[in-house]
């Protein structure tokens, strides 16, 4: 794939999405898009570690929550500016990733074991956040509503959308860069066969650590943005299993280990969820049941998810056209 | 009442809870031992089993009477799930199995939610408030029954694995999949039998829990995280480990709850869990990997 | 049960609004207000997810109130304009609430009632404030809701502060009237927002009023077992137990205490999920007998409330306080629209701010909002007596006398 093709597709997709708020002025739609983008960003983080690196985390909430609480607490307790707080919160997320990664990878945890330990860390954080006064305890932490660009609070929801879209786009460029880099190649090598990669001289611990730090940073930024958008966080929002599950549903449905997978998946999930509601009416849980079935079906029949489906369709289309 | 009495009562409580934890964990560890994956749908299947027991009760069947039929039904369901869904869909890749069991847990939980709503349901059995007076404490009869039956089931399972042909086949597959299949063992069948046994354990646990606990679509999650801890503690795949681990966790939880409060008591379990994973992932009773 | 599944793998936290993509295109804000045209009001409740039970209850109340108003001729100052409900499912999450407020605003509602849980109310009121949309909080007890200076936000029911203060006052009065049988207390609370906050306040206030706190026991939701809590209670042998838990856990506790033959002089709940719930009373009459609760409740002497209760029970539902609160909240809003004689959002907010509405079915005096909080609101004390829930305090609303201390 040429450089232009590799990055161009991302740029075009981003531009098209960026035009949405201009075309549809409904805040309902824009709000939905912002939420979808937050999930997409968290999902990009998960996808880097799991889709490319093969380390399946079931506890990305640990990083999302670190970013969310980090941002909220830095602003409310220490009066730090919102922009600085978000950046710091992202760094905190990376640090949490480094600690969890170092501990578990050093102990050689993989597969089920790694999934379990990430789950346990997220749960421990949730219990602690729910119990300590520092995080606002069970009442959570509320950022004061003071609409002003200096506080990263905007009257227009479209601005939030453009910012989160810009972040997601930047992350996608980064992911494309990683895909084409030596680091990316090592990461895939670790996924395919860790022992073989190590035998070939890849420092697998180092590769996995870098991956989890980057992954955690992305998901933490999603958490920080979540708080900045809703101005409220509590322990079950921050460290609840919901975000761990959504961060992995998106990439799997969109296309595991692909740059577009998390974005496609997050948008598709939103759309499907509402479709399910429209069709099945207000039956509790029917949309999530559907997602679960979709997840099983995709793993059974289409490992590369929607992204793969689109690629195949495109190939079919090109094959049909006389050259 | 003296502090010694409280301590004794707390240990007793812990053992009662721990036995049921152990039963749930035995199902999990059995599946791990053979299929080498954590079954993330374990909690959801427990929820489903509790609803099944609840429905049976509504139809006039006492949970203790429903225990054996439900165990058989859930054996069948578990067998089918592995044979028809998990096996074929995962293409034999461990990571796929992981995701598929997670997907199944989402499906099962939400289907329960769709059918039963999120109400909390309880049953009122005639013996629900019967107790044994032990002098230092009153022991609720349903909890004592849960303890007894859990231990009995664990022993039966142990005998099944050690003495029967199926049991030997299961152990063979657990040790060496390829060799077992060369020796003429139908691996797919054994996988499904194992999964079925795990589900049957859950059905029994559900019938034991119903008289003292409540039912709602996410109820299984309250138990499954503890079961994970026990499985890791006891060594993934080890049945005696799961039993000892279950009783141990029950007592630790009970005592730490008494000393540090119930909320932080939960934390204690997870801290043990993480430490064991990091320091000795094969568990306290597990064989060296 | 109002909250569980914090640990649920599939906590229903969704992807709201995605369809907004579909709905938004259809629902362009094309509301032309002809004289007498229907007035849209938003009803926001979490009818799916962990809080679905409570949300559905709230919805019953709101629907009944809209019907009652329309049957009586709608909004008279607007030529008999009918109220039209725009329902939003908050999906038990703050994002869900926000997404639905956006949709309601786009569909042209003039104000919103509901929310139920504090996190949903916090997010939804904030989203509504962007459009100067009046928002009547039905339950949401966190006092953060009315301390942010949002001029569009009105809480009709009492919050934490008021409930706890009333609970303490009521407790002292009931105890004094009975000849001060209770002096020692054990607090049992769930470790979430409600329980922890209340326990903290209780710990500060109870000693000042002559009570001795022997122990404070926190438990998680969901809790697998209450045996140890019961054990601790038994060893401390308090006169009074003050539990603050959700439905499932309180039922477990009450049953375990019954098993363990723990019989304190009184169980005095505060904002308890079960003690003011007819289901608990129906399913465990023995464990529920004589449990007191300081909580939201309807005015049992009010004829409208009695009729509504009959109607709700006839349809096979339980008459919970959510029904009464949402019923009253919609009446309060209709009154404001009536007085504003306009469907203008700002005019309605102004009318709400100056409301002195007294036609509700709650045991409150006339409405008066100070900083968004209805200072006329107060909880009452209920007690389970002979398979029914009676109001025992304050005397002006009571339909029964307290049974305290509970006969051994």
């Amino acid at each position: 794939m040429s450089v232009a093709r590799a990055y161009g597709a991302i740029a075009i997709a981003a531009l098209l999405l960026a035009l949405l708020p201009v075309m549809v002025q409904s805040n309902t739609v824009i709000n939905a898009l912002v939420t979808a983008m937050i999930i997409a960003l968290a999902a990009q983080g998960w996808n880097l570690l799991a889709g490319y690196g093969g380390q399946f985390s079931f506890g990305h909430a640990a990083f999302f929550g670190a970013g969310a609480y980090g941002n909220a607490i830095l602003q409310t307790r220490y009066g730090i500016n919102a922009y600085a707080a978000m950046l710091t919160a992202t760094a905190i997320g990376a640090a949490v990733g480094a600690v969890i990664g170092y501990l578990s990878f050093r102990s050689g945890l993989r597969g089920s074991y790694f999934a379990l330990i990430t789950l346990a860390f997220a749960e421990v954080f949730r219990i602690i956040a729910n119990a300590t006064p520092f995080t606002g305890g069970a009442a959570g932490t509320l950022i004061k509503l003071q609409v002003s660009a200096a506080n990263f609070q905007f009257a227009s929801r479209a601005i939030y959308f453009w910012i989160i879209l810009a972040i997601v786009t930047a992350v996608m460029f980064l992911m494309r860069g990683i895909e084409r880099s030596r680091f990316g190649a090592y990461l895939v090598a670790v996924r395919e066969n860790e022992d073989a990669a190590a035998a070939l001289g890849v420092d697998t611990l180092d590769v996995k650590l870098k991956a989890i730090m980057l992954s955690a940073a992305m998901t933490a930024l999603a958490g920080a943005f979540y708080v900045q958008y809703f101005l409220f966080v509590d322990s079950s929002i921050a460290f609840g299993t919901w975000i761990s599950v959504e961060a992995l549903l998106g990439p799997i449905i969109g296309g595991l280990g692909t740059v577009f997978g998390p974005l496609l998946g997050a948008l598709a999930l939103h759309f499907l969820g509402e479709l399910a509601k429209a069709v099945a009416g207000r039956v509790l849980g029917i949309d999530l049941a559907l997602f679960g079935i979709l997840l099983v079906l995709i793993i059974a029949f289409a490992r590369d998810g929607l992204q793969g489906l689109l690629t195949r369709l495109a190939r079919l289309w090109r094959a049909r056209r006389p050259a | 009442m003296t502090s010694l009495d409280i301590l004794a009562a707390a240990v007793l409580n812990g053992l009662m809870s721990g036995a049921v934890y152990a039963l749930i964990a035995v199902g999990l560890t059995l599946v791990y031992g053979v299929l080498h994956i954590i079954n993330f749908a374990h909690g959801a299947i427990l929820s489903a089993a509790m609803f099944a027991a609840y429905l049976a009760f509504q139809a006039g069947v006492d949970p203790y009477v429903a225990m054996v039929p439900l165990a058989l039904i859930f054996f069948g369901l578990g067998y089918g799930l592995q044979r028809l869904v998990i096996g074929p869909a995962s293409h034999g890749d461990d990571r796929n199995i992981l995701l598929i069991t997670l997907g199944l847990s989402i499906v099962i939980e939400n289907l329960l939610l769709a059918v039963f709503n999120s109400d909390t349901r309880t049953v009122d059995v005639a013996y629900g408030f019967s107790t044994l007076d032990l002098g230092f404490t009153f022991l609720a009869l349903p909890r004592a029954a849960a303890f007894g039956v859990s231990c009995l089931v664990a022993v039966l399972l142990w005998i099944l694995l050690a003495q029967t042909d199926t049991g030997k086949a299961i152990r063979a597959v657990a040790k060496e999949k390829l060799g077992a299949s060369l020796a003429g063992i139908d691996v797919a069948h054994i996988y499904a039998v194992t999964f079925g046994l795990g589900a049957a354990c859950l059905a029994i646990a559900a019938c034991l829990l119903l008289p003292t606990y409540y039912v709602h679509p996410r109820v299984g999650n309250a138990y499954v995280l503890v079961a994970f801890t026990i499985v890791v503690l006891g060594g993934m795949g080890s049945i005696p480990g799961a039993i000892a681990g279950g009783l141990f966790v029950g007592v630790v939880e009970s005592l730490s709850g008494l000393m540090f409060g119930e909320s932080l008591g939960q934390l204690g379990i997870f801290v043990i869990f993480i430490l064991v994973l990091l320091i000795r992932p094969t568990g306290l009773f597990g064989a060296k990997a | 049960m109002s909250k569980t599944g914090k640990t649920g793998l599939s906590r229903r936290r969704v992807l709201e609004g995605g369809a907004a993509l579909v709905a938004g295109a259809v629902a362009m804000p094309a509301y032309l207000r002809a004289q007498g045209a229907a007035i849209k009001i938003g009803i926001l409740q979490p009818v799916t997810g962990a809080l679905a039970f409570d949300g559905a209850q709230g919805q019953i109340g709101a629907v009944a109130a809209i019907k009652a108003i329309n049957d009586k001729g709608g909004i008279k100052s607007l030529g008999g304009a009918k109220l039209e409900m725009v329902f939003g499912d908050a999906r038990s999450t703050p994002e869900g609430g926000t997404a639905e407020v956006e949709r309601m605003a786009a569909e042209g509602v003039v104000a919103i009632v509901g929310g139920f849980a504090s996190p949903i109310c916090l997010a939804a009121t904030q989203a509504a404030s962007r459009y100067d949309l009046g928002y009547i909080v039905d339950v949401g007890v966190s006092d953060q809701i009315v301390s942010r200076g949002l001029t569009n936000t009105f809480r009709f029911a009492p919050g934490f502060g008021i409930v706890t203060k009333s609970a303490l006052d009521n407790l002292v009065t009931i105890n004094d009237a009975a000849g001060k049988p209770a002096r020692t207390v054990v607090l049992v609370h769930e470790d979430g927002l409600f329980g922890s906050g209340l326990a903290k306040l209780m710990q500060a206030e109870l000693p000042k009023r002559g009570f001795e706190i022997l122990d404070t026991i926190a438990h998680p939701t969901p809790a697998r077992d209450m045996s140890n809590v019961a054990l601790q209670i038994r060893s401390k042998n308090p006169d009074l137990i003050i539990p603050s838990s959700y439905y499932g856990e309180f039922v477990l506790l009450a049953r375990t205490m019954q098993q363990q033959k723990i019989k304190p002089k009184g169980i005095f709940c505060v904002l308890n999920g079960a003690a003011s719930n007819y289901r608990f009373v129906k399913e465990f009459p023995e464990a529920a007998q004589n449990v007191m609760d300081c909580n939201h409740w309807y005015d049992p002497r009010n004829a409208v409330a009695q009729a509504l209760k009959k109607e709700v029970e006839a349809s096979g539902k339980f008459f919970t306080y959510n029904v009464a609160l949402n019923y009253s909240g919609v009446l309060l809003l209709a009154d404001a629209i009536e007085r504003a004689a306009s469907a203008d959002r700002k005019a309605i907010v102004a009318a709400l701010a100056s409301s002195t509405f007294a036609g509700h079915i709650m045991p409150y005096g006339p409405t008066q909002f100070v900083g968004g909080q209805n200072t006329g609101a107060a909880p009452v004390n209920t007690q389970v007596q002979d398979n029914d829930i009676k109001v025992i305090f304050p005397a002006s609303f009571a339909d029964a006398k307290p049974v305290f201390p509970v006969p051994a």
Side-chain angles (χ1 to χ4, degrees):
Chain A
M1 198 160 26
S2 72
V3 176
R5 278 270 303 281
Y7 293 96
I10 300 171
I12 290 169
L15 272 177
L16 286 177
L17 280 171
L19 286 177
L20 273 177
V22 182
M23 296 187 295
V24 193
Q25 265 148 35
S26 158
N27 267 339
T28 323
V29 178
I30 299 173
N31 176 60
L33 284 171
V34 172
T35 327
M37 285 298 152
I38 294 175
I39 303 289
L41 181 57
Q44 286 286 1
W46 187 86
N47 192 38
L48 171 61
L49 186 63
Y52 290 92
Q55 312 300 313
F56 282 26
S57 150
F58 283 7
H60 254 50
F63 311 133
F64 184 85
Y69 270 117
N71 182 22
I73 291 172
L74 285 171
Q75 286 185 56
T76 51
R77 282 195 179 259
Y78 302 104
I80 290 170
N81 173 275
Y83 294 88
M86 283 176 78
L87 281 178
T88 317
T90 308
I92 292 173
V96 171
V99 171
I100 294 179
Y102 183 77
L103 289 174
S104 22
F105 294 142
R106 267 306 290 267
S107 308
L109 299 184
R110 317 176 182 174
S112 292
Y113 288 95
F114 182 69
L116 273 179
I117 201 159
T118 49
L119 191 75
F121 269 111
E123 196 56 16
V124 165
F125 291 165
R126 191 187 64 74
I127 296 172
I128 294 174
N130 196 47
T132 43
F134 181 67
T135 53
T141 298
L142 196 69
I143 297 179
K144 207 168 161 42
L145 177 70
Q146 284 170 314
V147 177
S148 128
N151 294 334
F152 204 116
Q153 292 186 23
F154 308 99
S156 156
R157 292 203 186 269
I159 295 181
Y160 283 106
F161 173 68
W162 283 319
I163 294 173
I164 185 80
L165 177 64
I167 297 172
V168 170
T169 310
V171 165
M172 284 169 74
F173 274 115
L174 178 68
M175 292 303 297
R176 186 66 91 201
I178 289 175
E179 249 181 9
R180 302 162 71 89
S181 72
R182 185 176 289 266
F183 170 62
Y186 286 167
L187 202 54
V188 172
V190 166
R191 176 185 73 195
E192 294 305 325
N193 191 334
E194 188 167 341
D195 299 327
L200 288 173
V202 175
D203 184 347
T204 57
L205 178 65
D206 181 69
V207 168
K208 288 196 284 184
L209 269 183
K210 276 182 187 149
I212 197 173
M213 282 174 70
L214 254 177
S215 163
M218 290 174 193
T219 306
L221 183 55
F225 193 91
Y226 177 100
V227 171
Q228 203 56 41
Y229 188 64
F230 290 103
L231 301 179
F232 174 71
V233 62
D234 68 16
S235 65
S236 55
I237 292 172
F239 295 118
T241 34
W242 72 278
I243 185 68
S244 299
V245 168
E246 291 207 355
L248 67 83
L249 273 178
I252 292 171
I253 287 172
L256 204 55
T258 64
V259 169
F260 276 100
L263 179 65
L264 278 174
L267 288 173
L269 282 178
H270 269 239
F271 187 72
L272 273 174
E274 295 304 328
L275 203 66
K277 272 214 147 66
V279 174
R282 288 201 180 282
V283 180
L284 271 175
I286 202 73
D287 47 352
L288 273 175
L290 188 82
F291 297 166
I293 292 171
L294 200 62
L295 182 141
V296 174
L297 286 179
I298 282 187
I299 291 169
F301 299 112
R303 232 9 254 277
D304 43 4
L306 283 178
Q307 151 101 31
L309 203 67
L310 288 181
T311 319
R312 257 173 278 155
L313 280 178
R315 214 172 289 145
L316 215 65
W317 171 250
R318 248 177 275 131
R320 270 220 197 143
R321 255 187 334 190
Chain B
M1 93 195 262
T2 67
S3 58
L4 205 64
D5 282 350
I6 301 178
L7 221 57
V11 170
L12 188 69
N13 272 336
L15 288 174
M16 297 297 121
S17 309
V20 181
Y21 295 172
L23 182 57
I24 296 168
V26 160
L28 198 59
T29 209
L30 191 63
V31 172
Y32 184 87
V34 177
L35 282 79
H36 301 286
I37 49 114
I38 282 284
N39 173 17
F40 278 92
H42 209 63
I45 297 175
L46 177 62
S47 303
M50 287 191 73
F51 270 105
Y54 175 80
L55 288 181
F57 178 79
Q58 292 296 316
V61 185
D62 187 272
Y64 293 147
V65 178
M67 196 166 345
V68 173
L70 277 182
L72 291 174
I73 292 172
F74 270 78
F75 176 82
L77 287 176
Y79 186 95
L81 210 55
Q82 166 62 31
R83 192 84 201 235
L84 303 175
V85 180
I86 302 175
S90 63
H91 311 296
D93 179 317
D94 285 359
R95 286 191 288 235
N96 285 351
I97 305 179
L98 211 62
L99 291 177
I100 284 177
T101 58
L102 182 75
L104 283 176
S105 83
I106 297 173
V107 174
I108 296 171
E109 255 179 32
N110 286 286
L111 285 182
L112 288 175
L113 202 61
V115 178
F116 296 100
N117 289 326
S118 62
D119 297 3
T120 305
R121 294 154 202 257
T122 39
V123 303
D124 198 5
V125 287
Y127 45 84
F129 295 101
S130 313
T131 50
L132 299 170
D133 190 348
L134 300 182
F136 59 97
T137 188
F138 296 100
L139 179 59
L141 218 49
R143 284 169 65 81
F147 179 82
V149 174
S150 296
C151 294
L152 183 71
V153 171
V155 170
L156 286 178
L157 207 59
W158 183 239
I159 293 173
L160 178 103
L161 283 180
Q163 302 296 331
T164 66
D165 286 347
T166 312
K168 282 172 192 156
I170 290 175
R171 282 187 301 148
V173 173
K175 274 230 169 59
E176 178 51 61
K177 189 169 74 179
L178 195 63
S181 95
L182 287 177
I185 295 173
D186 181 351
V187 174
H189 169 71
I190 291 301
Y191 273 8
V193 167
T194 312
F195 211 88
L197 284 175
C201 287
L202 289 177
I204 295 169
C207 292
L208 295 174
L209 284 172
L210 193 66
T212 53
Y213 205 61
Y214 54 76
V215 194
H216 71 91
R218 287 189 206 83
V219 67
N221 289 316
Y223 285 88
V224 81
L225 281 169
V226 183
F228 285 158
T229 312
I230 292 164
V231 168
V232 167
L233 198 64
M236 292 219 199
S238 156
I239 288 180
I243 297 167
L247 296 175
F248 176 72
V249 164
V251 173
V252 166
E253 180 187 52
S254 183
L255 290 179
S256 64
L258 199 63
M259 282 177 250
F260 311 116
E262 294 290 320
S263 304
L264 291 178
Q266 294 290 304
L267 201 59
I269 294 183
F270 286 112
V271 171
I272 294 177
F273 178 51
I274 290 175
L275 286 179
V276 172
L277 267 181
L278 292 179
I279 296 163
R280 199 182 150 84
T282 51
L284 300 182
F285 301 86
K288 283 237 155 72
Chain C
M1 184 82 201
S2 36
K3 187 188 73 176
T4 49
K6 276 185 170 177
T7 54
L9 270 180
S10 56
R11 171 168 184 206
R12 239 180 112 357
R13 156 86 50 164
V14 191
L15 312 160
E16 61 285 349
L21 298 169
V22 185
V26 185
M28 282 298 148
Y31 46 98
L32 297 166
R33 282 202 206 93
Q35 188 73 359
I39 295 167
K40 292 180 178 174
I41 63 170
I43 302 297
L44 180 69
Q45 288 292 336
V47 292
T48 57
L51 309 172
F53 176 76
D54 284 286
Q57 292 295 112
Q59 190 184 1
I60 294 173
V63 168
I66 292 173
K67 184 171 176 297
I69 292 159
N70 287 342
D71 286 352
K72 278 194 207 142
I75 306 294
K76 298 188 183 66
S77 65
L78 289 171
K82 299 272 192 272
L83 293 183
E84 183 188 326
M85 174 171 79
V86 175
F87 187 78
D89 174 11
R91 309 185 188 195
S92 303
T93 66
E95 311 95 89
T98 302
E100 290 295 296
V101 169
E102 287 294 350
R103 187 175 61 81
M104 289 175 178
E107 291 193 21
V109 302
V110 300
I112 298 172
V113 179
F116 181 67
S118 295
I120 298 175
C121 293
L122 284 167
T125 49
Q126 198 163 283
S129 76
R130 289 169 178 269
Y131 303 99
D132 295 317
L133 258 178
Y135 191 111
I136 299 175
V137 172
D138 58 344
V139 181
V141 293
S142 166
D143 282 325
Q144 289 181 318
I145 294 171
V146 286
S147 60
R148 291 170 300 165
L150 292 182
T151 52
N152 70 318
T153 304
F154 302 93
R155 184 166 64 193
F156 179 63
F160 256 157
I162 299 178
V163 172
T164 325
K165 192 179 168 303
S166 310
L168 287 160
D169 291 346
N170 297 1
L171 175 61
V172 170
T173 317
I174 293 171
N175 193 36
D176 286 357
K180 301 200 181 191
R183 201 185 60 78
T184 55
V185 176
V186 165
L187 301 172
V188 179
H189 67 91
E190 64 95 25
D191 59 4
L193 179 73
F194 298 89
S196 306
L198 280 164
K200 218 198 263 166
L201 288 165
M202 287 280 173
Q203 277 172 323
E205 291 298 321
L206 278 177
K208 290 184 200 159
R209 300 178 195 227
F211 290 94
E212 186 193 345
I213 299 176
L214 299 178
D215 204 354
T216 303
I217 307 165
H219 67 79
T221 309
R224 283 181 296 272
D225 180 24
M226 282 287 180
S227 302
N228 274 325
V229 174
L231 206 59
Q232 281 163 282
I233 294 173
R234 206 149 77 98
S235 73
K236 297 282 170 20
N237 194 23
D239 299 328
L240 202 62
I241 298 168
I242 304 186
S244 176
S245 316
Y246 290 99
Y247 185 83
E249 281 63 33
F250 182 71
V251 171
L252 272 186
L253 177 66
R255 290 172 70 182
T256 312
M257 281 172 55
Q258 194 187 335
Q259 276 170 353
Q260 295 293 323
K261 315 207 184 336
I262 300 169
K263 290 186 176 123
K265 289 175 185 160
I267 300 178
F268 188 90
C269 305
V270 182
L271 287 177
N272 192 285
S276 299
N277 188 327
Y278 281 111
R279 194 166 90 218
F280 174 55
V281 178
K282 205 179 97 187
E283 289 179 358
F284 298 101
E286 231 180 294
Q289 178 69 353
N290 291 326
V291 170
M292 292 179 277
D293 190 15
C294 183
N295 210 328
H296 309 292
W297 202 245
Y298 65 94
D299 178 358
R301 297 176 177 188
N302 184 305
V304 178
Q306 288 165 356
L308 181 65
K309 177 168 186 267
K310 266 204 195 97
E311 197 185 308
V312 170
E313 285 174 351
S315 68
K317 309 274 187 196
F318 291 111
F319 191 69
T320 57
Y321 62 75
N322 317 49
V323 181
L325 275 173
N326 278 281
Y327 187 89
S328 300
V330 170
L331 293 189
L332 170 74
L333 174 60
D335 171 72
I337 300 173
E338 188 76 69
R339 284 183 296 109
S342 156
D344 179 64
R345 292 168 175 181
K346 282 187 180 163
I348 293 170
V349 168
L352 277 171
S354 64
S355 183
T356 56
F357 182 63
H360 50 72
I361 61 169
M362 301 302 290
Y364 308 161
T367 306
Q368 194 195 357
F369 287 110
V370 176
Q373 173 62 43
N374 176 12
T375 53
V380 295
N381 261 93
T382 61
Q383 185 169 36
V384 181
Q385 295 182 359
D386 304 321
N387 302 334
D388 197 2
I389 299 174
K390 299 285 191 188
V391 173
I392 53 165
F393 194 82
S396 47
F397 298 105
D399 59 350
K401 293 238 175 309
V403 177
F404 181 77
V406 174

